[in-house]
Amino acid sequence: MAVIPVDLAGRSYEVRVGQSLLANLADECGPLLRKRRVPIVTDENVAQHWRAAVDAALLSAGKEPQWLVLPPGEATKSWDGLARTVEWLLEQEVERKDHVIALGGGVIGDLVGFASSMLKRGCGFIQLPTSLLAQVDSSVGGKTAINTPAGKNLVGAFHQPSLVLADLATLETLPRREIGAGYAEVIKYGILGDYPFFEWCEAHGAKVLAGDKDAQEIAVTQSVRAKARIVAEDERETTGARALLNLGHTFGHALEAETGFSDRLLHGEAVALGMVLAARFSARRDLISAEDAARIAIAIAAVGLPSELSSLGLNGNGQMLAAHMLHDKKMDAGTLPFVLLNAIGEAFLDDSVALGEVAQFLDEELQG
Ligand code: NAD
Ligand code: GLY
């Protein structure tokens, strides 16, 4: 098992990555589970595969698991989902010093984290991420949010978990397409700041997708280390370090918006194509070399993730895609900072990008 500390003044916690963490849940959580009754929120898909294991682990330790099982999917991260979760936690008489368990992917983690941030003005929570995306990204760092009709993740809070247990065994039941979506966030750490890890991804990405346990362990551990380092440096995204994690997200968000935030393009798939676009846009600005931008596209296409905008079958033009960026939550007094690349492993924030230039670039990309 790897234990990765997230060092934050007064709010430090551990991310543990390994096998059998759910089977030893009571021991892993120790005194964080201070009462007999343990509130756990999950979704139906995750419950189907992992509820029995969690029940067995807690019951054998003399605990009484209490479950809220929500519908799967992004729609659960909503005002309704939040109200349902908060009301249920109140019914369970959860107190400030108690810990609520979030068992699931990023949807459950973001929702339960946000509910915990407001329950009794903030109670504890533990992340048990079960998707690759949640293990390598969303469960670490304390960003929590719901979606509203105005857009994704527009209402939320920074609220750090007290513990994250990333049990690699849970990835065995995760659909392959979801593994791919999570892998986009893995290779992102290499592209934005760790060239040797990018090279590792080139060599081992297919194994991660194929379910190779050793490769998945390295992928998750390395990603969490990278994220923990960045979060410790810039918890609230104020100095620019954490903003680099948005590599590919501005282009990706526009693609998600254009495809209606639907199953047509999962978030991680949009980020994957978004990173290719960020790299090509950087090459167009004479930053990263065209060869290295192509190398990023090849590494992404090699695991079956989308790497060509022209293959997406969109009806819109570059201007329409760029217009979605106006609603990006990173918009700052009329400027939208872009994460661009000087090289593989060398990302930086550029707030000099005009959306007209982006629209023209996207028109070229749409034509292939
Ligand atoms: P998700 O939670 O919807 O999970 C994807 C699908 O996999 C769902 O159908 C889920 O039921 C299923 N699933 C999860 N674990 C499973 C398992 N072990 N076995 C079988 N099925 C399983 O989505 P996600 O990709 O995990 O996360 C996406 C969400 O994360 C988005 O809402 C995004 O905004 C958010 N996010 C947050 C952060 C952050 O820093 N807070 C970062 C990135 C993404
Ligand atoms: N997923 C981006 C962040 O946590 O900052």
Side-chain angles (χ1 to χ4, degrees):
M1 178 173 69
V3 179
I4 300 145
V6 182
D7 293 321
L8 297 165
R11 294 176 306 288
S12 295
Y13 56 94
E14 286 182 357
V15 183
R16 299 182 202 147
V17 180
Q19 302 280 348
S20 307
L21 296 173
L22 292 191
N24 297 314
L25 187 56
D27 279 348
E28 292 292 340
C29 294
L32 294 180
L33 303 184
R34 60 192 196 126
K35 292 182 182 160
R36 205 173 141 75
R37 288 158 66 93
V38 179
I40 307 161
V41 184
T42 191
D43 75 25
E44 288 158 8
N45 293 339
V46 178
Q48 186 196 333
H49 296 291
W50 296 101
R51 179 175 175 158
V54 170
D55 272 340
L58 291 177
L59 289 169
S60 68
K63 300 288 182 190
E64 234 178 82
Q66 307 293 314
W67 289 90
L68 174 63
V69 182
L70 297 168
E74 200 61 41
T76 288
K77 239 178 79 172
S78 60
W79 287 116
D80 282 352
L82 180 67
R84 198 170 154 194
T85 305
V86 169
E87 293 293 345
W88 181 79
L89 293 174
L90 289 171
E91 279 165 26
Q92 300 303 309
E93 300 180 353
V94 170
E95 296 173 327
R96 262 190 198 171
K97 289 184 184 163
D98 292 342
H99 282 82
V100 181
I101 293 184
L103 173 74
V107 163
I108 291 297
D110 278 13
L111 175 71
V112 176
F114 191 29
S116 304
S117 78
M118 62 180 65
L119 193 93
K120 313 247 167 111
R121 298 207 175 93
C123 72
F125 82 114
I126 296 168
Q127 291 267 23
L128 305 186
T130 62
S131 70
L132 183 59
L133 183 140
Q135 294 191 352
V136 302
D137 187 359
S138 63
S139 67
V140 181
K143 277 189 183 175
T144 75
I146 57 164
N147 308 319
T148 73
K152 262 192 79 176
N153 293 331
L154 292 183
V155 178
F158 284 96
H159 185 54
Q160 299 290 345
S162 302
L163 176 67
V164 182
L165 300 175
D167 189 332
L168 297 162
T170 60
L171 302 180
E172 286 164 18
T173 59
L174 190 67
R176 189 185 160 95
R177 189 175 172 201
E178 297 290 350
I179 301 258
Y183 177 76
E185 305 282 4
V186 173
I187 195 171
K188 180 186 80 176
Y189 294 110
I191 298 172
L192 75 87
D194 187 345
Y195 178 71
F197 186 53
F198 174 78
E199 285 185 306
W200 182 89
C201 289
E202 285 184 310
H204 299 93
K207 287 188 198 161
V208 175
L209 270 283
D212 181 295
K213 287 194 190 317
D214 292 339
Q216 288 187 339
E217 182 162 4
I218 292 170
V220 175
T221 308
Q222 275 299 111
S223 300
V224 172
R225 283 206 179 101
K227 181 139 188 193
R229 201 167 44 240
I230 291 170
V231 169
E233 187 183 334
D234 181 17
E235 182 185 4
R236 298 214 162 206
E237 207 166 306
T238 46
T239 67
R242 187 162 183 170
L244 297 183
L245 293 174
N246 295 325
L247 174 64
H249 283 59
T250 304
F251 285 107
H253 180 84
L255 301 175
E256 282 184 278
E258 187 65 23
T259 49
F261 295 99
S262 65
D263 283 354
R264 210 173 135 196
L265 197 64
L266 299 179
H267 172 73
E269 293 168 343
V271 168
L273 181 47
M275 288 190 290
V276 174
L277 293 172
R280 289 194 183 138
F281 186 72
S282 301
R284 192 179 194 263
R285 290 187 137 211
D286 292 327
L287 297 166
I288 194 173
S289 68
E291 292 74 24
D292 278 354
R295 197 171 155 192
I296 290 171
I298 289 167
I300 281 172
V303 293
L305 284 166
S307 63
E308 291 302 329
L309 186 54
S310 54
S311 307
L312 229 50
L314 298 179
N315 293 323
N317 59 23
Q319 205 173 359
M320 285 162 73
L321 285 176
H324 291 300
M325 296 176 181
L326 289 170
H327 307 293
D328 196 296
K329 65 180 174 306
K330 298 180 287 299
M331 200 79 184
D332 180 22
T335 302
L336 183 57
F338 275 75
V339 185
L340 301 183
L341 293 164
N342 276 323
I344 298 176
E346 283 178 39
F348 70 101
L349 263 190
D350 189 329
D351 57 12
S352 74
V353 174
L355 285 186
E357 183 187 354
V358 174
Q360 199 183 353
F361 163 74
L362 289 171
D363 267 334
E364 292 159 17
E365 289 290 323
L366 280 163
Q367 279 153 29

